[in-house]
Amino acid sequence: MKRILLMGLMLCFGIAQSQSLKGKVVGPNNNPLENVAVFDRTSGNHTHTDTSGKFSLENVKENDIISFSILGFATYEYSVTAESFAESINITLNEAAVSLEQVTITPEVNTLSQIVAVDLKTAPVKSSQEILRKVPGLIIGQHAGGGKAEQIFLRGFDIDHGTDINLSVDGMPVNMVSHAHGQGYSDLHFVIPETLDKISFGKGPYNVEYGDFATAGYVAFKTLDKLDKSSVSVEYGQFDAFRTVGLFNLLDTKNSNAYVAASLNTFNGPFDSPQNFNRFNMMAKYNLNLPDNQKLKLTASHFQSKWDASGQIPQRAIDDGSIGRFGAIDDTEGGNTSRTNLLINHSKLLSENKKLETRAYYSNYDFELFSNFTFFLEDPINGDQIAQREDRNILGFQTEFSDKINSETLDFKYTAGIGVRYDDVNDVELSHTKNRYEILDRIAFGNVDQINSFAFLNTEFGLGDFKINPAVRLDYFKFDYENKLSPTYDNRSESKVFASPKLNFIYSPNRDFQLFLKTGIGFHSNDTRVVVANGGEDILPAAYGADLGGIYKLTDNLIFNTALWALFLEQEFVYVGDAGIVEPSGKTRRLGVDFGLRYEALDWLYFYGDANYTYARSTEEPKGEDYIPLAPDFTSTGGIAVENLANFSGGLNYRYIKDRAANEDKSIIAEGYFVTDFNINYTFRNLVFGIAIENLFDTEWNETQFATESRLFDEPAPVEEIHFTPGTPFFLRGKVTVNF
């Protein structure tokens, strides 16, 4: 009786009751839009659309204002009426230029990826190297003729080629375990930049979906599902630079679409000995909508590359005039590599809130690299050239089940996943060679089999403006190494289990502000050869991390983000692929602060910048001898982007890295640099004419640097000093693109 009276009073006095608002969001062509932010501006409640464009928003009252926003579409505001609850509502968003106004800050763990999405759409990447440069705070360097994977710097790490960062493309791992050159080696050159759609990233070991190598962070790339239009472009520039790219729509129907892309690059570079670089890429993608809310994506890609390199050169050889800045001590360096990928992604909506996603992949990878870092230190007659080779097959799959439960007091979401990755690496080789062809001595030679099976559970508890995100991951590793240099059959195995708990707190009282505290444990695996050599001890070193920061949308066109963070790494043993030896690295501590700013001054004018400071030290060495070689302590990137200004677009961007210690006592310094790039494009009907200039002010800079002990042919004793690869001087290219 009391309940009936209360309901009657509520109806009589017009007290609004909260209800569930359901609907679907589509684009201009009636295509469902996934991941649209649905935000109740009155109560602050929010949700996102699923893969079919549907959403369900709880605790909505009559007269509430609901905003619908996603990058690339004009924000739409809907006023709730009594009829809104009677049936599912339909919302159509109109396409619009990407802008900061479309960024909605909600209690999500990886909100910062939205900012990178704006950067990517406003200033698209122009080369494969720029793919990684889109990640705030990440610096890269190339030091082997353009064909070798880039050296990566992030959060006070010299990550080498991927040891402490997890990289993936469409869910397929890029990092190579137990690689011939170095653990975690990550060659992204199989990605055609024009096919890149989104970049998701996270710094620190806080995201449970990413396991091995995710200590400094992760970067997940997603390629386009569909082309807006077909195009062909041709680019030519200094140093015999040539590149042509074609993207072609093959199929576009209501339930399916397909496209292919291909590119060819050649480049000699500014070096006295031409690089003779060439790379060929192909990619095909097919998308199919199946009955019962299913989607299937098939992706195939292949790339192959070959190059010559001048390597790192010693400063003393330049000082005495024996070579110039672009000369070489040993110009027989270089390599060949290729990778073929097959990837299947499948998703199925089991119900309104339940979803199942599965991916399976296969890669075949070949690698051959010739290097000479020490010249005549070990072999004064033939020189110290080394060859590193391998032939690899990678197979894997991952399945994720997600569900969410909404109520008036609590929103609960969870994702449970399992998967496995198997690396079959044959003839992993480190040899002392002469002129590439003659093997003087095999230092290491064998077969690696490595299995990583894993399971994870990610949970999210939404309590109004708060989100609590506890998660845990369990990884099992099986390492197997067959030593083919042993006079008798020698096959040794080790196994290891690692648990990675995470706990993140997010507070977002409105769509313009977020505070976060992220904590977690991560790890990176070690090379199978050091695992078996060390009896399985200290081979999955833990990384303990914490981030405290915030994201502030000060106005519709101004966003600022900052974070204070700490990261501690345990003792580990590292296999040095260039020498075939095991070295202990000791415990390390990194403390830092990140700043980022994005400002859309006008519809066509966009400013962006990031500054990152890190204090990185070894914790077991005496003060003054505790520097971590090549760990950057201050970096900054940023620029200006112009878009759709009377048919013009373009930008000016910079990257800066401060002087840093090249050895443990800082007696040798790796010089910093400030380099500026420029590009401008003009669109006329279906033609786009572009000019790009790297190193606009012709700065003399060292792209990669190492403190190395080496000996030249006529030297009586070795010398330890900076060896470097010179950065590209002023470099002009022109480009013409035809869209159709």
Side-chain angles (χ1 to χ4, degrees):
M1 178 64 72
K2 290 182 179 179
R3 175 180 285 185
I4 295 174
L5 288 173
L6 181 61
M7 292 178 65
L9 288 171
M10 290 174 66
L11 290 172
C12 291
F13 289 97
I15 300 175
Q17 298 184 69
S18 62
Q19 301 181 60
S20 175
L21 181 69
K22 298 182 179 181
K24 183 176 182 180
V25 183
V26 299
N29 298 322
N30 208 37
N31 294 322
L33 296 178
E34 182 182 4
N35 208 35
V36 176
V38 184
F39 194 90
D40 189 333
R41 300 192 64 175
T42 307
S43 67
N45 293 333
H46 71 94
T47 188
H48 289 83
T49 58
D50 59 27
T51 54
S52 61
K54 295 180 180 179
F55 70 91
S56 179
L57 184 63
E58 304 299 320
N59 304 323
V60 179
K61 297 182 178 67
E62 189 177 340
N63 298 321
D64 281 4
I65 303 298
I66 312 298
S67 72
F68 298 84
S69 60
I70 187 173
L71 292 179
F73 292 84
T75 300
Y76 181 83
E77 294 191 346
Y78 176 83
S79 180
V80 179
T81 65
E83 291 76 19
S84 302
F85 304 107
E87 58 185 20
S88 177
I89 65 172
N90 293 309
I91 303 296
T92 301
L93 300 185
N94 296 317
E95 292 182 351
V98 170
S99 71
L100 290 178
E101 184 180 359
Q102 298 159 5
V103 174
T104 298
I105 298 176
T106 57
E108 301 298 324
V109 178
N110 62 344
T111 301
L112 282 174
S113 291
Q114 289 191 64
I115 295 176
V116 173
V118 177
D119 292 353
L120 183 63
K121 299 300 182 183
T122 305
V125 293
K126 297 174 290 299
S127 69
S128 58
Q129 281 194 329
E130 287 193 34
I131 291 175
L132 279 170
R133 286 180 182 156
K134 285 297 179 182
V135 178
L138 192 150
I139 300 287
I140 62 171
Q142 174 59 251
H143 59 94
K148 189 177 178 182
E150 280 75 30
Q151 186 179 7
I152 302 171
F153 301 93
L154 179 68
R155 283 203 158 181
F157 280 86
D158 170 13
I159 295 176
D160 195 25
H161 302 287
T163 308
D164 286 285
I165 188 169
N166 182 294
L167 300 174
S168 62
V169 176
D170 291 331
M172 179 180 63
V174 177
N175 302 74
M176 302 284 186
V177 297
S178 304
H179 187 270
H181 180 65
Q183 179 69 342
Y185 187 89
S186 300
D187 189 347
L188 276 164
H189 296 144
F190 66 86
V191 179
I192 299 174
E194 288 81 357
T195 66
L196 193 60
D197 183 28
K198 295 178 182 177
I199 301 176
S200 174
F201 79 96
K203 297 180 183 179
Y206 313 125
N207 297 81
V208 74
E209 298 91 341
Y210 305 96
D212 200 3
F213 305 111
T215 52
Y218 79 90
V219 184
F221 299 95
K222 181 184 178 300
T223 59
L224 290 164
D225 289 334
K226 181 180 179 181
L227 297 179
D228 291 332
K229 51 199 168 187
S230 298
S231 66
V232 174
S233 64
V234 177
E235 181 178 325
Y236 185 76
Q238 292 176 279
F239 315 123
D240 298 318
F242 173 79
R243 182 171 186 259
T244 182
V245 184
L247 296 92
F248 306 98
N249 265 317
L250 299 182
L251 178 67
D252 189 5
T253 67
K254 180 180 179 181
N255 291 316
S256 63
N257 64 76
Y259 71 88
V260 296
S263 69
L264 173 66
N265 297 45
T266 63
F267 186 52
N268 277 334
F271 301 91
D272 296 344
S273 296
Q275 289 183 334
N276 298 313
F277 168 78
N278 67 67
R279 180 169 66 236
F280 177 70
N281 294 66
M282 287 192 67
M283 173 191 173
K285 195 168 189 178
Y286 174 66
N287 300 276
L288 177 64
N289 294 326
L290 296 168
D292 300 323
N293 294 315
Q294 297 183 81
K295 288 188 176 182
L296 182 67
K297 299 178 183 179
L298 305 176
T299 308
S301 63
H302 172 78
F303 103 103
Q304 59 188 50
S305 181
K306 67 176 289 293
W307 67 96
D308 297 327
S310 298
Q312 292 103 241
I313 55 177
Q315 183 63 50
R316 64 186 184 277
I318 298 173
D319 293 341
D320 66 19
S322 56
I323 63 171
R325 269 185 61 82
F326 296 97
I329 301 298
D330 182 355
D331 63 358
T332 64
E333 296 190 32
N336 304 271
T337 189
S338 68
R339 179 167 177 165
T340 302
N341 305 303
L342 298 174
L343 174 66
I344 301 173
N345 284 279
H346 175 265
S347 65
K348 178 177 175 59
L349 281 177
L350 303 175
S351 68
E352 188 175 89
N353 294 323
K354 293 182 174 66
K355 185 179 182 181
L356 186 66
E357 294 181 282
T358 302
R359 72 180 69 98
Y361 55 85
Y362 167 75
S363 291
N364 176 259
Y365 170 81
D366 287 305
F367 177 81
E368 182 179 51
L369 179 68
F370 298 93
S371 309
N372 188 348
F373 304 108
T374 54
F375 311 125
F376 294 93
L377 178 66
E378 304 294 338
D379 187 336
I381 304 299
N382 299 299
D384 298 346
Q385 184 184 85
I386 59 172
Q388 294 163 316
R389 301 183 178 96
E390 68 168 63
D391 179 13
R392 178 185 301 253
N393 294 296
I394 310 172
L395 302 94
F397 80 89
Q398 180 171 322
T399 297
E400 300 176 11
F401 173 78
S402 59
D403 190 12
K404 58 182 178 180
I405 302 169
N406 300 317
S407 68
E408 291 189 6
T409 57
L410 175 69
D411 294 332
F412 175 66
K413 178 182 178 181
Y414 73 91
T415 301
I418 59 171
V420 66
R421 168 179 171 171
Y422 170 52
D423 284 70
D424 170 35
V425 196
N426 299 304
D427 296 334
V428 187
E429 178 184 352
L430 171 63
S431 294
H432 176 204
T433 57
K434 180 181 179 180
N435 293 323
R436 294 199 184 186
Y437 302 110
E438 184 180 352
I439 296 178
L440 302 176
D441 179 37
R442 275 203 168 114
I443 302 167
F445 187 53
N447 296 330
V448 169
D449 289 272
Q450 184 168 323
I451 298 172
N452 174 205
S453 55
F454 56 87
F456 63 85
L457 176 64
N458 186 69
T459 62
E460 299 179 6
F461 297 86
L463 301 165
D465 298 334
F466 289 90
K467 175 174 284 186
I468 303 174
N469 173 217
V472 65
R473 180 185 178 97
L474 194 66
D475 284 86
Y476 167 79
F477 286 88
K478 177 72 162 54
F479 305 90
D480 185 278
Y481 182 59
E482 178 189 354
N483 185 0
K484 298 176 106 176
L485 294 182
S486 175
T488 60
Y489 179 70
D490 182 11
N491 192 337
R492 288 184 283 172
S493 298
E494 296 288 344
S495 60
K496 201 77 172 179
V497 176
F498 193 92
S500 310
K502 328 282 184 180
L503 182 58
N504 304 314
F505 301 89
I506 313 292
Y507 172 62
S508 186
N510 54 57
R511 63 175 186 170
D512 299 323
F513 177 63
Q514 181 191 105
L515 288 177
F516 57 81
L517 171 62
K518 301 179 182 181
T519 63
I521 299 175
F523 71 97
H524 77 245
S525 64
N526 251 308
D527 191 290
T528 291
R529 289 164 286 188
V530 69
V531 170
V532 298
N534 206 48
E537 297 297 323
D538 301 315
I539 50 84
L540 291 179
Y544 304 89
D547 268 51
L548 175 64
I551 307 170
Y552 320 92
K553 192 172 184 182
L554 303 176
T555 67
D556 282 345
N557 55 4
L558 178 62
I559 295 180
F560 173 72
N561 65 274
T562 185
L564 294 169
W565 59 271
L567 189 62
F568 301 87
L569 265 67
E570 285 185 339
Q571 166 70 41
E572 60 177 304
F573 288 88
V574 177
Y575 179 84
V576 182
D578 295 334
I581 59 175
V582 177
E583 289 183 351
S585 68
K587 297 179 180 179
T588 61
R589 176 181 68 247
R590 290 170 173 84
L591 309 172
V593 58
D594 296 341
F595 295 98
L597 186 70
R598 303 296 186 277
Y599 177 50
E600 201 166 48
L602 299 166
D603 291 342
W604 52 269
L605 186 60
Y606 181 71
F607 296 88
Y608 57 98
D610 295 279
N612 312 92
Y613 172 77
T614 303
Y615 178 84
R617 294 291 188 273
S618 296
T619 60
E620 299 177 320
E621 301 296 333
K623 187 175 178 59
E625 299 177 13
D626 56 351
Y627 290 91
I628 301 174
L630 300 179
D633 55 9
F634 184 76
T635 63
S636 180
T637 58
I640 304 169
V642 173
E643 189 176 21
N644 298 324
L645 176 62
N647 294 339
F648 284 96
S649 64
L652 183 73
N653 62 76
Y654 75 89
R655 55 192 183 277
Y656 169 74
I657 185 168
K658 184 175 173 286
D659 290 355
R660 60 201 190 279
N663 60 352
E664 289 79 1
D665 62 4
K666 205 179 179 180
S667 59
I668 302 176
I669 300 295
E671 294 182 358
Y673 57 78
F674 186 100
V675 177
T676 305
D677 300 330
F678 169 79
N679 74 91
I680 186 171
N681 302 287
Y682 178 76
T683 302
F684 177 74
R685 296 179 180 175
N686 65 327
L687 298 174
V688 181
F689 303 92
I691 293 175
I693 302 175
E694 291 185 28
N695 195 358
L696 177 64
F697 301 111
D698 200 20
T699 301
E700 187 176 283
W701 62 296
N702 298 338
E703 185 164 7
T704 56
Q705 302 169 76
F706 302 89
T708 305
E709 183 181 51
S710 67
R711 179 179 177 271
L712 302 180
F713 182 73
D714 56 352
E715 286 184 328
V719 177
E720 183 180 20
E721 66 169 348
I722 282 292
H723 293 56
F724 68 92
T725 299
T728 304
F730 181 94
F731 176 26
L732 173 67
R733 306 190 305 275
K735 182 177 181 179
V736 178
T737 301
V738 181
N739 297 306
F740 54 94

